[in-house]
Amino acid sequence: MKTYCVTGGAGFIGSHLCGQLLAQGHRVVNIDNFNDVYDYKTKIRNILSSTGTVFPYLHSGDKMDDLAKLQAVVESDHYRLAVADIRDMDELDAVFASERIDAVIHLAAMAGVRPSIEDPLLYEDVNVRGTLHLLEAMRKHGVRKWLCASSSSVYGNNKKVPFAEEDVVDFSISPYAATKKACEVLGHTYYHLHHIDTVMLRFFTVYGERQRPDLAIHKFVKMLDKKEELTMYGDGSTRRDYTYIGDIIAGILGALTYVEEQDHTYEIVNLGTNRTITLRDLITTLEREVGEQAVIRTLPHQPGDVEQTYADVSKANRLFGYEPQTDFAEGIHKFVTWYRGDRHG
């Protein structure tokens, strides 16, 4: 049994990852601060799903009380929930001092392009300074293996497709993208100075069960289900490389095995599907799956939004056998089934 620290382990991707690590028999230390970007009870449900725990205090209405009770309920030989903020060096130090961590999977971040334009200082504080704090905790406590979530947004409006890891990514068009590029640079610095083996994972538009409620697919399904108007920015021609959560988790686990087997390595790797879907096609697919016709309100293209994302995944395949298995329609079906069952209402 190994001990893995997952930051942001109560979130969409993190809770799925924690569940898989637990299923493999490992110990998971989940660091999450349960910020107020969306309802903290959504994250509680994620943890309950990933740990298979029954928690009767979900609707008490007192956040700190709920989290304290949750920590007590989920605590086991295999799982620990540390309610902590990666911007607080003392909190991180306390966690790392009390655990023998084999590797870190760093998913915690302020996410989203448009909100980063509204509050760039917060994004810098959490994504850059928080990541630096984590790296310092790793250095101090001798943890020398980590994965870090980067983003397809670092490619900006790259004209060359598909996007490959060796492409120049010096032209970010949002503060969010800039913070993710900064994390990649910090990762290389600590690899070089402190021999921390590193894989930076550039995620391409992840969707699926437990997706955050502020993301497009989740919002659109909710609006369609309630027969509400959909807001579409631009003419619907923007394209995204949508990647199903199961494929992302398989990629993370493959990268984890890879980095654990290496001695002195730094890699940047795309995790996508190597295919794209237009916004118009996304809406059509959702209409068909939900069984409702969308009423669409068209607004201008938003600053910071890239025209397309499109992943070259050949490097991930070469390094650790990454092969996405879920086509878009199948993934949307799984999401809508989850929404109407486990999540809806």
Side-chain angles (χ1 to χ4, degrees), residues 16-220:
H16 281 278
L17 177 62
C18 289
Q20 286 299 308
L21 291 172
L22 290 169
Q24 293 178 355
H26 299 298
R27 175 169 169 78
V28 172
V29 179
N30 171 12
I31 298 176
D32 202 297
N33 73 340
F34 291 82
N35 65 31
D36 294 325
V37 172
Y38 54 92
D39 189 348
Y40 75 93
K41 291 189 287 293
T42 297
K43 286 193 171 186
I44 289 180
R45 284 190 289 266
N46 290 346
I47 289 177
L48 299 183
S49 295
S50 65
T51 60
T53 304
V54 176
F55 179 51
Y57 308 106
L58 184 60
H59 301 294
S60 76
D62 186 307
K63 178 177 179 179
M64 297 314 298
D65 182 55
D66 278 355
L67 294 181
K69 290 174 180 175
L70 177 67
Q71 284 178 291
V73 168
V74 299
E75 181 76 29
S76 72
D77 290 340
H78 286 81
Y79 189 87
R80 173 185 175 187
L81 171 61
V83 180
D85 194 316
I86 58 173
R87 293 173 293 178
D88 190 318
M89 196 68 229
D90 290 338
E91 290 182 352
L92 282 180
D93 190 60
V95 173
F96 276 76
S98 62
E99 299 281 350
R100 295 179 60 86
I101 295 170
D102 293 285
V104 171
I105 304 98
H106 179 37
L107 305 175
M110 290 298 297
V113 166
R114 294 169 196 161
S116 77
I117 297 172
E118 297 172 5
D119 197 349
L121 295 181
L122 175 62
Y123 275 69
E124 184 276 334
D125 192 30
V126 175
N127 296 358
V128 181
R129 186 176 294 271
T131 298
L132 185 57
H133 284 175
L134 185 67
L135 285 165
E136 273 294 284
M138 292 171 59
R139 178 194 62 78
K140 179 178 178 180
H141 295 280
V143 182
R144 294 295 182 263
K145 306 285 183 180
W146 83 312
L147 309 178
C148 180
S150 185
S151 168
S152 62
S153 66
V154 301
Y155 288 104
N157 280 322
N158 192 5
K159 298 303 181 185
K160 171 188 162 293
V161 293
F163 301 164
E165 293 85 352
E166 63 270 18
D167 294 346
V168 175
V169 290
D170 292 338
F171 304 101
S172 297
I173 62 171
S174 71
Y176 171 69
T179 65
K180 286 300 183 179
K181 170 65 185 296
C183 289
E184 293 183 356
V185 176
L186 283 172
H188 188 274
T189 302
Y190 275 70
Y191 151 76
H192 174 74
L193 292 176
H194 307 298
H195 308 293
I196 295 178
D197 292 321
T198 300
V199 178
M200 310 296 303
L201 297 171
R202 291 176 177 169
F203 295 152
F204 281 69
T205 315
V206 189
Y207 74 101
E209 302 91 319
R210 302 183 210 159
Q211 188 187 48
R212 296 199 328 264
D214 58 305
L215 295 181
I217 289 175
H218 198 144
K219 288 195 300 184
F220 284 177

Side-chain angles (χ1 to χ4, degrees), residues 266-316:
Y266 174 89
E267 298 287 355
I268 296 174
V269 182
N270 290 336
L271 291 184
T273 63
N274 193 230
R275 58 182 180 269
T276 64
I277 303 290
T278 67
L279 179 55
R280 278 283 185 188
D281 287 341
L282 164 64
I283 293 172
T284 299
T285 303
L286 295 178
E287 287 176 325
R288 184 164 53 246
E289 186 61 44
V290 175
E292 296 288 346
Q293 183 74 34
V295 177
I296 300 174
R297 180 188 181 200
T298 302
L299 292 176
H301 186 78
Q302 293 293 286
D305 282 354
V306 298
E307 295 169 4
Q308 68 173 327
T309 64
Y310 185 1
D312 180 341
V313 296
S314 58
K315 183 176 182 180

